């Protein structure tokens, strides 16, 4: 506590922001006083568990077990993770800390995505592996604010830049104040941006966050979307991480690079120069588990109704459970040929992922493959969209949730408590969509039917 107080004093901290991520990947938090924070740092604090009982729009779910009217929506104990201390660069007198939800007896709260990730990280280490992960996001930027988005009904939005111009030196320079604010702000916040460029599409950008050990990489990936939204708001811009914004344009990915190292961080266990393509047996089994479980775990990777609009042939997003060597048409792309670079790029994940869940589940599937020595199918050497004898991925959230709900392997590797709660939240999401009348229906049927 003494060193914490010294750090806070040196940084000129006058208030603290604490928060945790919900099932939809949204940060829920609040400002607290220094006095309140020091007390919480010692003994924890209470945080209303309604964050696990409502959806993106704060509508109360009617089917949850972990909280609800039947429990009275009590406070759940939360511990401050002091290792996550950071100063908010655009609020320089404010420190930020992440929270971990726990049960009254101090055990992990099973429904918490961050706790799931920590559980998978511990499991990997018990098996002798140090997971290294890194995320990259694609996202749209619009010259809009929350008010104009709603006033326009989220239609006819003005992109930050017009036209299709991937890897544009010109477009990034034209928007240098915002681009530099994003890069510098992320770096100052500890998110360590390795690359930043325009993607194909009006106002589309991509950022790659430097890889690190699993837990650090997940925190950075989970924080990234909120950080981008906060910085963009100061420039009159809105950032969108939907999987598919426009049917005529590619979707937004959230690819996650992955490798397993020995516990001393000295050796990349995915690389074996004596094996074909330099891929170790461990790496093959890791991929084998991921490919085998991909369809039944898809709801965890693609958590929204919109997620499935991204999975379209010839649009850079996978439609089948496949892998290949440097093949961007596959769900898993093997990259590198050395001990330093050998890794996989998990391409099924979209920008709308919950980073904790996406990383935790893909790791769990890989570890399951290693433990059960699952050999992957043959790599796809050409266009995976045209490949034969491949497992199709679910086409809707409803189908994906049904597969997950009935997956014995998902319950086994992720835990009954987490899977049950996640399924309930997605079943609610499906029901909300099924009741909705879309603009497509109105335009197609209102006049002519």
């Amino acid at each position: 506590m003494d060193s914490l107080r010294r750090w806070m004093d040196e940084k000129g901290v006058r208030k603290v922001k604490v928060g945790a991520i919900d099932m939809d990947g949204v940060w829920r938090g609040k400002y607290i006083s220094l006095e309140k924070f020091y007390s919480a740092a010692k003994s924890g604090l209470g945080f209303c568990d309604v964050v696990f009982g409502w959806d993106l729009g704060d509508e109360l779910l009617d089917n949850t077990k972990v909280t609800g009217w039947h429990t009275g929506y009590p406070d759940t104990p939360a511990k401050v993770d002091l290792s996550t201390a950071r100063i908010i660069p655009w609020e320089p007198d404010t420190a930020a800390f992440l929270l971990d939800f726990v049960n009254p007896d101090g055990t992990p709260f099973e429904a918490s995505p961050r706790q799931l990730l920590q559980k998978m990280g511990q499991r990997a280490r018990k098996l002798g592996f140090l997971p290294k992960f890194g995320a990259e996001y694609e996202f749209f930027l619009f010259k809009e604010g929350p008010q104009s988005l709603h006033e326009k009904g989220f239609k006819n939005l003005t992109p930050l830049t017009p036209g299709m111009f991937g890897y544009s030196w010109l477009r990034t320079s034209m928007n240098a104040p915002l681009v530099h604010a994003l890069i510098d702000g992320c770096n100052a916040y500890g998110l360590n941006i390795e690359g930043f460029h325009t993607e194909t599409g009006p106002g589309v950008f991509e950022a790659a966050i430097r890889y690190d050990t699993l837990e650090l990489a997940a925190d950075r990936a989970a924080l990234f979307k909120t950080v981008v939204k906060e910085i963009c708001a100061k420039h009159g811009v809105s950032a969108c991480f939907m999987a598919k914004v426009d049917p005529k344009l590619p979707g937004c990915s959230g690819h996650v690079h992955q490798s397993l190292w020995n516990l001393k961080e000295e050796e990349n266990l995915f690389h074996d120069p004596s094996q074909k393509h330099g891929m170790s047996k461990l790496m093959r089994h890791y991929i084998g588990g991921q490919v085998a479980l991909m369809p039944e775990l898809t709801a965890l990777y693609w958590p929204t109704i919109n997620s499935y609009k991204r999975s379209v042939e010839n649009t850079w997003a996978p439609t089948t459970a496949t892998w290949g060597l440097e093949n961007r048409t596959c769900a898993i792309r093997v990259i590198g040929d050395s001990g330093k670079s050998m890794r996989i790029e998990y391409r099924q994940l979209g920008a709308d992922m919950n980073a904790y869940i996406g990383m935790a589940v893909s790791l769990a599937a890989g570890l399951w493959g290693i433990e059960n020595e699952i050999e992957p199918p043959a790599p796809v050497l050409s266009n995976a969209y045209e490949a034969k004898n491949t497992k199709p991925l679910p086409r809707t959230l409803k189908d994906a949730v049904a597969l997950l709900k009935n997956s014995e392997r998902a319950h086994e590797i992720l835990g009954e408590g987490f899977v049950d709660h996640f399924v309930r939240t997605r079943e609610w999401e499906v029901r909300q969509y099924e009741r909705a009348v879309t603009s497509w229906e109105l335009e197609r049927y209102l006049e002519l039917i």
Side-chain angles (χ1 to χ4, degrees), residues 24-277:
D24 287 291
V26 175
W27 282 99
R28 305 285 186 168
K30 56 185 175 182
Y31 292 96
I32 58 176
S33 67
L34 289 180
E35 180 182 6
K36 174 73 173 178
F37 170 73
Y38 288 128
S39 172
K42 284 184 178 180
S43 55
L45 74 164
F47 203 107
C48 182
D49 74 359
V50 73
V51 297
F52 292 99
W54 61 21
D55 65 9
L56 276 168
D58 288 9
E59 288 195 55
L60 297 173
L61 281 62
D62 61 9
N63 61 347
T64 55
K65 285 184 176 180
V66 299
T67 188
W69 293 117
H70 62 288
T71 66
Y73 296 107
D75 277 354
T76 289
K79 292 182 178 179
V80 181
D81 186 344
L82 298 179
S83 72
T84 64
R86 45 182 33 96
I87 300 298
I88 303 177
W90 44 98
E91 299 178 43
D93 66 345
T94 305
F97 293 83
L98 306 189
L99 299 175
D100 280 319
F101 292 103
V102 294
N103 296 311
D105 63 0
T107 57
F109 186 65
E110 268 197 300
S112 169
R114 192 167 190 258
Q115 297 283 51
L116 175 71
L117 180 107
Q118 293 171 357
K119 176 182 173 182
M120 293 304 110
Q122 292 165 4
R123 182 178 167 201
R125 287 171 174 81
K126 286 181 180 178
L127 294 172
F129 311 132
L130 178 67
K132 288 192 176 184
F133 278 51
E136 53 188 32
Y137 284 104
E138 296 169 357
F139 50 96
F140 279 76
L141 297 182
F142 297 104
K143 293 180 180 179
E144 309 285 351
Q147 195 67 34
S148 67
L149 288 173
H150 283 265
E151 289 174 352
K152 290 184 174 183
F154 300 92
K155 294 181 178 180
N156 302 315
L157 306 180
T158 304
L160 181 64
T161 59
M164 313 288 278
F165 205 165
Y167 297 102
S168 170
W169 182 293
L170 175 63
R171 290 284 189 254
T172 48
S173 294
M174 289 171 63
N175 294 280
L178 174 56
V179 169
H180 285 280
L182 287 168
I183 295 173
D184 295 343
C186 285
N187 287 336
Y189 206 49
L191 305 190
N192 303 356
I193 300 300
E194 273 197 329
F196 193 97
H197 63 88
T198 63
E199 257 295 347
T200 298
V204 186
F205 289 79
E206 178 175 343
I209 308 167
R210 190 183 189 281
Y211 73 92
D212 212 312
T213 51
L214 173 73
E215 293 80 4
L216 289 174
D219 281 344
R220 291 168 183 168
L223 284 165
F224 177 79
K225 288 195 279 189
T226 292
V227 167
V228 169
K229 290 176 184 290
E230 289 184 43
I231 295 173
C232 283
K234 296 182 179 299
H235 292 257
V237 172
S238 288
C240 171
F241 290 84
M242 281 179 64
K244 191 78 167 182
V245 177
D246 189 318
K248 298 178 183 178
L249 298 171
C252 292
S253 73
H255 299 157
V256 173
H257 295 250
Q258 311 177 7
S259 59
L260 297 181
W261 293 61
N262 66 356
L263 294 179
K264 293 183 178 180
E265 209 170 341
E266 298 168 335
E267 181 186 359
N268 183 351
L269 301 178
F270 275 5
H271 183 244
D272 184 346
S274 69
Q275 297 295 311
K276 190 176 182 180
H277 309 304

Side-chain angles (χ1 to χ4, degrees), residues 213-348:
T213 51
L214 173 73
E215 293 80 4
L216 289 174
D219 281 344
R220 291 168 183 168
L223 284 165
F224 177 79
K225 288 195 279 189
T226 292
V227 167
V228 169
K229 290 176 184 290
E230 289 184 43
I231 295 173
C232 283
K234 296 182 179 299
H235 292 257
V237 172
S238 288
C240 171
F241 290 84
M242 281 179 64
K244 191 78 167 182
V245 177
D246 189 318
K248 298 178 183 178
L249 298 171
C252 292
S253 73
H255 299 157
V256 173
H257 295 250
Q258 311 177 7
S259 59
L260 297 181
W261 293 61
N262 66 356
L263 294 179
K264 293 183 178 180
E265 209 170 341
E266 298 168 335
E267 181 186 359
N268 183 351
L269 301 178
F270 275 5
H271 183 244
D272 184 346
S274 69
Q275 297 295 311
K276 190 176 182 180
H277 309 304
M279 294 172 54
S280 67
K281 182 171 72 171
L282 186 92
M283 184 180 193
R284 290 202 317 272
H285 292 160
Y286 188 88
I287 293 172
Q290 291 183 326
V291 172
L293 301 185
M294 196 176 289
E296 61 202 81
L297 299 180
T298 287
L300 294 149
Y301 302 137
W302 291 346
T304 74
I305 294 293
N306 181 255
S307 299
Y308 300 79
K309 306 295 176 69
R310 169 176 163 262
S311 177
V312 179
E313 290 77 5
N314 303 317
T315 57
W316 306 101
T319 58
T320 54
T322 52
W323 74 281
L325 304 164
E326 280 292 359
N327 190 337
R328 285 182 168 87
T329 67
C330 295
I332 296 174
R333 169 185 167 223
V334 173
I335 305 172
D337 57 4
S338 70
K340 180 179 180 180
S341 63
M342 200 80 184
R343 65 192 187 277
I344 71 163
E345 178 187 50
Y346 203 90
R347 295 178 59 83
Q348 184 184 13

